[in-house]
């Protein structure tokens, strides 16, 4: 095909990326090929919350997915990458409520229906922003299959899961102590609570005996609390049954200060005798452990707070006060009443809502729960079979297993208006509970549960609900589920990965995905987590604006190993841009020299010279290694392989060597070189396309090519004809020679353009033949005025020298040489080589190494030892000749 565009002299990401994504979409290139004979490969995107714009973590996560799916698509797989977004329950509702507060409005002012419409408007606004960001990143998503966790299909799946679990007695409704967010006025699960250190105090308070009893000469006991405002819910004092200090006090009663309610001293093993005084107040409605103690002793539960954490009628005169204001007033009244013994300031870990940031209350509440033990067990058992989920890196399976083995029942109800409303109805007269897919036949007699489900309840179904489930005859469900790879961060293994695994096992009998690739977090250059409070967040769109999407993708994909965090750095972004510019300039050189070529056609093998054989062998190795490393999700290593091949083998050596042939008079050789340049560039752009889709597409369409786009072009495969390790070894000798001459010139201050005599003493005739056959390259890169190659070359007395594998290099430069400096350099080199020989001798002298290491490793070490010994002897001989000069 003809070239698409004329190339600029410098890589400009804006012009390269302009309109390209829209063209891919219009061509329908991201849809599955629906070839039923092809292997399928499917990924569902971890749905970003519609709470705001995507951050760098999203960019990293989706870049890795796009690389995987782009490569598989090019390899001929029937690929599906399904996009979607998460309604995000409390997180989105909190955002909208904050926006309304700025207008002086609350959700209660609007009412449920109008408020929910406000949230849908928010969703539409931010979904459009996310779509634009996906486009900027170049994500090859099939938008025809896009889903939302609150769409009609997912709502049907959610209702079925809820009803089925309820009918299996795995969902129940009960009164328990839960985590309560007083700002959002909703329950939270344990993992939605973030603990942080807050300043507080231990308040040591007198609880007087009711009957005049004395203990240690006092008519009261001492109780320490960090939360005096919960005293109005105190119903008992507990000591440990085996605590000898208090055995005579069990059964006695004390007065709760300010409340004037009697509280009995009870014995319960919950108490730790060694902590504090060994006596604790029991407040069943405000502490999860106290709740359990209360159940064991049939104690009253007295809730002292309203939903918004103001004090209620049970708090007496403090009713209506904010909890923290009430604390101050209660402390003052305790002091004034002579009940406060002391106040000890402390810093302690306190739970805060992940979404609103306010301090969480432990609150007695009636909620809906999922019984987790049987679900967790089935999921754990599944990891022992063929349908297991493989974690990458494997260590994260321990994180998953540990959490599942110690799991608590999951509180799934949320006192919100945005989310899947629980499909339960209460009869207005009888209080009967009905749970079903549809509303009761006589809806006028029933009231639906106003609570909604935890957002993770719906996202736990994501891999199969998005494929059409519960319709198990859905073509997508039958074809693309289970999915192949999930890519996500280690911070949501508990939140999401585990839940998808147990729900999928329960409702489909299968794993949700074959692999789960875990990546780390994006941190700043100092290693700090990016956050609004630190002001160190980076907008990926700003990075793309400056460097282009491909540079950002290159940095994100090659910056770390699986499971590890990555530090964002503008220095690394500069390096990424420079690498792409290198590819651009190399491609431009190749394309400018292709003339009217229609399609690259490799010349016959018999016409390949050493440089041709070398680059095709290196290409072959790069294809094999890149494919292998992609399959192992080791993208950082794959990037290193690709970088070295492109920058070193192709740009620095083959392209430079091609100039000698293209400027020569042999027309057949010119044609051969053009074809190999074009072929290698074609294959290189295809290898790079999954990582850098925009620039590779632009370059590929600018050169002779077959096909409409790299998106569905065939991915490179290893070609047995290219395998030629001998050619690479010989070329490496040549490269070592050229580098040695350059180093000598640099040390002597002799510019490359100045001709010098060059003598090469080779250890073998074979190596001499290699150098003789490639004299044109030695002459081009070394600029010798005279060139001698042989096994019997005598070293000039005054010359700069270098020792390379299999040869010694001399440049007679008596007028430039400082004899003492040359001797010192050789002495230093001898010392270094002697250490290498000693290290190798020690290693080979280790019987355990020789006996246990693979034969190939031992053989390689012996070869190294021989090479070091030869270099050492050559250096000694050279030093001796200089000393005798």
């Amino acid at each position: 095909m003809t070239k698409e565009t004329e190339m600029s002299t410098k890589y400009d990401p804006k012009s390269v990326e302009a309109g390209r994504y829209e063209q891919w979409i219009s061509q329908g290139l991201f849809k599955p090929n629906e070839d039923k004979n092809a292997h399928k490969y499917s990924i569902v995107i971890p749905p970003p919350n519609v709470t705001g714009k995507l951050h760098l973590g999203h960019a990293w996560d989706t870049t890795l997915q796009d690389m995987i799916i782009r490569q598989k698509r090019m390899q001929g797989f029937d690929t599906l990458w399904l996009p979607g977004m998460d309604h995000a329950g409390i997180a989105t509702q909190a955002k909208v409520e904050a926006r309304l507060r700025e207008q002086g409005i609350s959700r209660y002012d609007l009412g449920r229906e109008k408020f929910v419409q406000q949230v849908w408007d928010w969703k539409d606004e931010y979904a459009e922003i996310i779509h634009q960001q996906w486009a900027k990143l170049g994500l090859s998503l099939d938008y025809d299959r896009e889903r939302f966790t609150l769409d009609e299909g997912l709502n049907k799946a959610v209702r079925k899961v809820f009803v089925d679990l309820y009918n299996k007695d795995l969902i129940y409704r009960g009164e328990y102590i839960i985590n309560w967010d007083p700002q959002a006025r909703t329950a939270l699960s344990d993992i939605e609570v973030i603990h942080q250190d807050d300043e507080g105090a231990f308040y040591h308070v007198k609880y007087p005996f009711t009957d005049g009893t004395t203990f240690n000469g006092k008519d009261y006991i001492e109780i320490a609390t960090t939360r005096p405002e919960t005293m109005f819910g105190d119903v008992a004092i507990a000591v440990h049954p085996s605590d000898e200090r208090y055995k005579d006090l069990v059964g006695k009663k004390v007065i709760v200060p300010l409340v004037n309610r009697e509280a009995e001293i009870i014995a319960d093993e919950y108490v730790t005798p060694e902590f504090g005084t060994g006596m604790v107040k029991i407040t069943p409605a405000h502490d999860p452990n106290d709740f359990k103690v209360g159940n064991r002793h049939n104690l009253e539960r007295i809730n002292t707070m309203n939903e918004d954490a103001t004090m209620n009628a049970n708090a007496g005169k403090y009713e209506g006060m904010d909890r923290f204001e009430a604390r101050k007033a209660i402390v003052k009244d305790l002091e004034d009443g002579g009940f406060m013994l002391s106040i000890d300031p402390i810093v302690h870990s306190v739970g805060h809502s992940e979404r609103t940031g306010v301090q969480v209350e432990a609150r007695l509440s009636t909620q809906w729960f999922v019984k987790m033990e049987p679900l967790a067990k089935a999921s754990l058992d599944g990891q022992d079979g063929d349908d297991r989920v493989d974690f990458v890196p494997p260590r994260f399976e321990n994180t998953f297993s540990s959490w599942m083995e110690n799991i608590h029942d999951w509180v799934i109800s949320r006192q919100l208006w945005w989310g899947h409303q629980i499909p339960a109805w209460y009869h207005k007269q009888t209080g009967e509970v009905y749970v079903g897919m549809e509303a009761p036949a006589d809806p006028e007699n029933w009231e639906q549960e106003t609570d909604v489900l935890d957002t993770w309840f719906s996202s736990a179904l994501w891999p199969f609900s998005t494929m059409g489930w519960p319709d198990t005859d859905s073509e997508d469900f039958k074809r693309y589920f289970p999915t192949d790879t999930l890519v996500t961060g280690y911070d949501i293994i508990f939140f999401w990965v585990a839940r998808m695994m147990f729900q999928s096992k329960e409702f489909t009998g299968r794993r949700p995905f074959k692999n789960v690739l875990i990546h780390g977090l994006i941190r700043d250059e100092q290693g700090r987590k990016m956050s609004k409070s630190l002001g160190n967040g980076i907008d990926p769109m700003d990075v793309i604006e400056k460097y282009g999407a491909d540079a950002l993708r290159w940095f994100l994909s090659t910056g770390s190993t699986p499971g590890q965090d990555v530090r964002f750095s503008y220095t690394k972004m500069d390096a990424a841009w420079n690498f792409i510019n290198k590819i651009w300039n190399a491609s431009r050189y190749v394309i400018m020299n292709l003339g009217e070529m229609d399609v690259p056609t490799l010349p016959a093998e018999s016409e390949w010279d050493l440089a041709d054989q070398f680059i095709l062998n290196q290409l072959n190795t790069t294809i094999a290694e890149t494919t292998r490393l992609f399959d192992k999700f080791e993208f950082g290593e794959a990037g290193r392989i690709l970088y070295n091949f492109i920058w070193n083998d192709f740009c620095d050596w083959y392209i430079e060597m091609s100039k000698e042939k293209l400027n020569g008079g042999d027309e057949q050789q010119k044609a051969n070189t053009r074809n190999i340049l074009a072929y290698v560039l074609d294959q290189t752009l295809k290898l790079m396309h999954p990582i850098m889709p925009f620039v590779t597409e632009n370059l590929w369409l600018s050169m002779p090519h077959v096909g409409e786009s790299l998106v569905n072009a065939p991915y490179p495969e290893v070609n047995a004809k290219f395998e030629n390790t001998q050619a690479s070894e010989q070329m490496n000798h040549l490269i070592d020679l050229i580098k040695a001459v350059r180093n000598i010139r640099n040390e002597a201050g002799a510019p490359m353009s100045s001709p010098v005599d060059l003598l090469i003493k080779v250890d073998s005739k074979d190596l001499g033949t290699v150098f003789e056959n490639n004299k044109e390259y030695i002459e081009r890169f070394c600029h010798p005025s005279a060139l001698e190659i042989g096994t019997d070359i005598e070293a000039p007395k005054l010359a700069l020298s270098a020792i390379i594998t299999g040869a010694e290099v001399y440049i007679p430069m008596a007028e430039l040489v400082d004899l003492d400096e040359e001797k010192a350099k050789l002495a230093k080199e001898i010392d270094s080589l002697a250490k290498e020989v000693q290290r190798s001798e020690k290693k080979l002298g280790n019987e355990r190494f020789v006996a246990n290491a693979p034969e190939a490793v031992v053989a390689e070490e012996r070869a190294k030892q021989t090479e070091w010994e030869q270099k050492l002897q050559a250096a000694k001989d050279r030093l001796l000749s200089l000393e005798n000069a």
Side-chain angles (χ1 to χ4, degrees):
M1 296 177 70
T2 57
K3 303 173 188 178
E4 186 188 70
T5 58
E6 291 299 320
M7 292 184 64
S8 66
T9 57
K10 186 179 180 183
Y11 166 57
D12 174 21
K14 285 189 175 66
S15 63
V16 164
E17 294 170 15
R20 180 65 63 199
Y21 193 77
E22 293 73 19
Q23 191 169 349
W24 285 329
I25 294 293
S26 67
Q27 292 174 282
L29 297 178
F30 300 156
K31 301 178 187 299
N33 64 30
E34 297 183 348
D35 178 359
K36 296 299 186 283
N37 295 319
H39 291 293
K40 71 90 184 173
Y41 200 98
S42 57
I43 297 175
V44 289
I45 198 169
N49 295 344
V50 289
T51 47
K53 300 176 182 179
L54 303 181
H55 52 65
L56 265 180
H58 290 117
W60 186 13
D61 191 84
T62 51
T63 292
L64 297 181
Q65 293 168 71
D66 195 37
M67 288 164 51
I68 295 167
I69 211 74
R70 281 182 180 272
Q71 188 205 42
K72 294 300 180 185
R73 187 184 292 118
M74 294 175 74
Q75 288 175 327
F77 284 77
D78 175 24
T79 57
L80 169 62
W81 188 17
L82 189 147
M85 301 179 200
D86 198 318
H87 68 283
I90 185 175
T92 308
Q93 179 158 322
K95 290 279 189 179
V96 176
E97 288 198 75
R99 177 185 277 184
L100 291 174
R101 276 198 300 274
E102 292 174 359
Q103 303 167 25
I105 305 172
S106 79
R107 61 168 154 147
Y108 302 101
D109 296 329
L110 293 175
R112 185 166 191 151
E113 187 176 340
K114 289 183 178 178
F115 174 77
V116 169
Q117 185 54 54
Q118 290 269 340
V119 189
W120 275 108
D121 292 344
W122 172 286
K123 177 263 177 187
D124 292 342
E125 176 186 343
Y126 279 92
E128 179 55 30
I129 292 171
I130 290 169
H131 282 138
Q132 292 170 7
Q133 291 182 300
W134 282 347
K136 281 284 190 183
L137 285 163
L139 307 185
S140 56
L141 297 156
D142 180 6
Y143 291 101
D144 288 350
R145 287 174 165 85
E146 183 174 354
R147 304 301 299 270
F148 182 56
T149 54
L150 265 182
D151 69 29
E152 185 179 345
L154 265 72
N155 183 253
K156 182 179 179 182
V158 165
R159 282 183 284 124
K160 176 167 176 56
V161 168
F162 187 95
V163 172
D164 286 1
L165 290 176
Y166 180 81
N167 289 336
K168 292 178 182 178
D169 290 328
L170 291 175
I171 281 183
Y172 64 94
R173 191 165 181 256
E175 192 175 48
Y176 283 88
I177 288 286
I178 47 88
N179 302 301
W180 184 261
D181 181 329
Q183 180 171 307
R185 300 190 193 183
T186 184
L188 303 173
S189 65
D190 289 344
I191 48 181
E192 291 174 304
V193 177
I194 306 300
H195 284 83
Q196 61 188 52
D197 287 343
D198 285 355
E199 291 183 357
F202 266 128
Y203 301 93
H204 297 265
V205 182
K206 294 179 182 179
Y207 280 58
F209 289 103
T210 59
D211 59 0
T213 298
T214 58
F215 177 70
N216 290 339
K218 298 170 183 174
D219 62 355
Y220 60 85
I221 58 172
E222 178 182 335
I223 297 295
T225 179
T226 59
R227 307 183 66 220
E229 65 274 16
T230 65
M231 288 173 56
F232 301 96
D234 292 355
V235 294
I237 305 297
V239 299
H240 196 276
S242 64
D243 195 330
E244 291 293 323
R245 293 173 296 175
Y246 306 127
K247 64 179 182 179
D248 295 335
L249 294 183
V250 175
K252 296 285 185 180
K253 294 182 179 178
V254 293
I255 295 291
V256 179
L258 305 183
V259 186
N260 296 322
R261 180 172 56 245
E262 291 186 356
E264 185 176 344
I265 299 175
I266 61 173
D268 193 280
E269 292 188 350
Y270 155 65
V271 182
T272 303
E274 297 78 24
F275 184 76
T277 62
M279 304 180 96
V280 296
K281 70 188 190 76
I282 302 299
T283 317
H286 288 278
D287 183 275
N289 292 309
D290 292 6
F291 177 79
K292 294 174 184 176
V293 174
N295 286 351
R296 287 195 288 270
H297 296 268
N298 197 27
L299 299 175
E300 184 182 5
R301 301 165 184 166
I302 304 173
N303 192 341
T304 69
M305 289 186 198
N306 298 311
E307 288 186 353
D308 61 355
T310 57
M311 308 306 290
N312 65 18
N314 289 326
K317 72 173 188 177
Y318 308 99
E319 181 180 4
M321 295 180 70
D322 172 77
R323 54 183 165 165
F324 300 121
E325 288 303 312
R327 179 184 298 178
K328 294 176 184 176
I330 290 165
V331 167
K332 184 178 187 305
D333 287 348
L334 287 170
E335 289 174 328
D336 292 347
F339 293 105
M340 187 68 73
L341 293 168
S342 64
I343 301 174
D344 301 330
I346 59 168
V347 174
H348 58 151
S349 181
V350 178
H352 291 254
S353 170
E354 181 194 31
R355 299 303 181 185
T356 64
V358 301
Q359 194 174 114
V360 168
E361 281 294 332
R363 187 170 188 270
L364 185 67
S365 178
T366 300
Q367 301 287 341
W368 291 88
F369 294 84
V370 174
K371 289 180 185 175
M372 283 306 307
E373 187 176 350
L375 295 170
K377 183 179 186 304
S379 186
L380 286 166
D381 290 346
Q383 289 300 93
D384 295 329
D386 294 337
D387 206 45
R388 60 174 278 108
V389 172
D390 291 322
F391 284 75
V392 182
R395 69 177 183 274
F396 285 107
E397 184 168 355
N398 296 331
T399 305
F400 159 78
S401 298
S402 176
W403 188 66
M404 294 291 267
E405 287 163 358
N406 297 283
I407 201 164
H408 303 292
D409 284 359
W410 174 17
V411 54
I412 54 172
S413 46
R414 297 290 183 272
Q415 290 64 54
L416 304 171
W417 291 350
W418 174 245
H420 292 277
Q421 198 165 348
I422 290 175
W425 288 260
Y426 307 106
H427 197 278
K428 293 177 180 178
Q429 276 73 46
T430 66
E432 176 192 351
V433 178
Y434 162 77
V435 171
M437 290 291 291
E438 306 297 338
D442 53 338
E444 66 278 4
N445 295 319
W446 300 79
E447 287 183 351
Q448 186 174 359
E449 170 65 77
T450 56
D451 287 358
V452 300
L453 288 162
D454 176 13
T455 190
W456 298 104
F457 193 92
S458 50
S459 55
L461 317 180
W462 188 249
F464 54 96
S465 62
T466 54
M467 302 289 185
W469 188 94
D471 178 8
T472 54
D473 289 327
S474 160
E475 289 301 317
D476 280 359
F477 181 76
K478 289 192 293 185
R479 176 65 172 159
Y480 300 110
F481 181 82
T483 63
D484 289 271
T485 298
L486 175 80
V487 181
T488 191
Y490 58 62
D491 53 332
I492 58 171
I493 292 175
F494 307 138
F495 285 96
W496 192 42
V497 175
R499 286 174 173 157
M500 283 189 287
M501 287 173 67
F502 71 68
Q503 292 287 45
S504 181
K505 197 71 177 174
E506 175 69 17
F507 287 97
T508 73
R510 296 296 310 277
R511 62 190 174 190
F513 27 75
K514 183 180 184 296
N515 307 295
V516 53
L517 172 60
I518 304 292
H519 60 74
L521 303 177
I522 295 273
R523 299 186 180 275
D524 67 10
E525 289 191 73
Q526 299 174 44
R528 300 175 302 175
K529 187 175 179 179
M530 290 185 176
S531 68
K532 289 183 180 178
S533 59
L534 291 174
N536 61 346
I538 302 290
D539 186 336
M541 298 303 109
D542 292 342
V543 179
I544 290 173
E545 179 68 21
K546 182 176 181 181
Y547 295 97
D550 289 322
L552 177 60
R553 288 171 63 111
W554 173 257
F555 162 73
L556 291 172
S557 62
T558 61
S560 78
T561 55
Q564 298 298 311
D565 294 344
V566 66
R567 294 189 181 191
F568 180 81
S569 159
Y570 281 108
T571 301
K572 291 177 182 176
M573 286 305 308
D574 288 335
W577 186 92
N578 286 334
F579 178 45
I580 299 177
N581 197 51
K582 180 86 167 180
I583 296 171
W584 182 269
N585 289 330
S587 301
R588 184 170 182 272
Y589 164 79
V590 172
I591 292 166
M592 285 173 58
N593 281 283
L594 295 184
E596 298 304 314
M597 180 187 294
D598 184 21
V599 177
T601 305
L602 283 176
E605 292 176 65
S606 58
E607 297 182 26
W608 301 348
D609 68 8
L610 179 63
D612 300 333
Q613 294 168 19
F614 161 77
I615 198 62
L616 292 173
N617 179 73
Q618 296 302 98
L619 173 65
N620 224 29
T621 301
T622 301
I623 292 169
E625 281 298 283
T626 301
T627 304
R628 180 183 69 84
L629 291 165
F630 259 64
D631 286 345
K632 294 175 66 178
F633 306 115
E634 293 182 4
F635 302 120
E637 277 300 291
R640 185 182 61 81
I641 294 289
L642 288 164
Y643 181 93
N644 288 338
F645 171 73
I646 293 168
W647 194 290
N648 299 327
D649 298 338
F650 189 50
C651 295
D652 285 357
W653 294 109
Y654 188 75
I655 284 180
E656 288 304 311
M657 289 177 170
S658 75
K659 293 175 182 177
E660 182 69 22
K661 292 181 278 189
L662 293 177
N663 292 326
D666 188 330
E667 293 303 319
Q668 184 60 50
Q669 192 178 56
K670 286 183 182 180
N672 291 348
T673 301
R674 289 191 189 103
N675 275 289
I676 291 177
L677 278 168
Y679 178 83
V680 174
L681 179 59
D682 172 90
Q683 296 290 286
T684 301
L685 293 174
K686 288 173 179 174
L687 284 172
M688 292 298 294
H689 180 72
I691 309 176
M692 300 177 178
F694 290 104
V695 70
T696 52
E697 179 89 327
N698 182 285
L699 293 169
W700 189 74
L701 291 174
S702 300
M703 65 180 288
H705 59 275
V706 176
E708 60 180 344
S709 170
L710 275 182
V711 172
N712 53 12
Y715 194 75
E717 295 181 355
V718 170
N719 188 331
K721 293 180 181 179
F722 297 166
E723 189 172 338
N724 193 332
T725 53
Q726 184 182 42
S728 285
E729 288 172 3
Q730 291 177 354
M731 178 58 75
N732 283 329
H733 284 300
L734 196 58
I735 290 170
D736 285 347
L737 169 64
I738 294 166
K739 286 180 177 178
V741 172
R742 286 174 173 172
N743 287 339
I744 290 172
R745 283 177 170 276
N746 187 52
E747 288 178 17
M752 288 301 298
S753 57
S754 62
V756 292
D757 290 348
L758 177 59
L759 290 78
I760 307 168
K761 181 181 180 182
V762 293
D763 293 348
S764 68
K765 289 184 178 179
D766 288 343
L767 183 56
T769 302
V770 171
F771 289 154
E772 288 285 354
N773 290 343
N774 292 278
K775 269 187 177 182
E776 70 271 23
Y777 296 129
I778 298 174
E779 289 167 351
R780 174 176 174 79
F781 292 104
C782 299
H783 302 289
S785 52
L787 175 62
E788 290 185 44
I789 303 169
T791 56
D792 55 356
I793 298 283
E794 284 196 19
K797 290 186 176 180
L798 291 176
L800 288 180
S801 63
I803 299 164
I804 61 174
T805 301
E808 298 167 47
V809 183
Y810 306 107
I811 298 180
M813 295 173 122
E815 69 279 8
L816 297 174
V817 171
D818 183 315
L819 201 57
D820 291 334
E821 280 188 14
E822 180 69 1
K823 288 178 184 177
K825 188 193 80 169
L826 278 167
K828 188 175 180 181
E829 189 171 354
I830 287 168
D831 182 59
S832 176
L833 290 167
K835 288 178 181 176
E836 290 293 345
V837 170
Q838 187 178 22
R839 181 201 60 76
S840 192
E841 286 175 343
K842 185 177 180 181
K843 194 168 186 179
L844 289 168
N846 184 335
E847 293 180 2
R848 290 180 62 186
F849 168 73
V850 175
N852 298 326
E855 287 185 21
V857 174
V858 177
E860 183 182 0
E861 190 59 41
R862 288 200 172 108
K864 283 182 183 177
Q865 182 186 25
T866 301
E867 182 180 331
W868 294 127
E869 287 174 343
Q870 290 172 346
K871 287 184 176 180
L872 176 60
Q873 189 57 51
K876 287 180 176 178
D877 293 344
R878 178 68 185 135
L879 180 60
L880 183 62
S881 69
L882 287 180
E883 288 173 343
N884 293 332

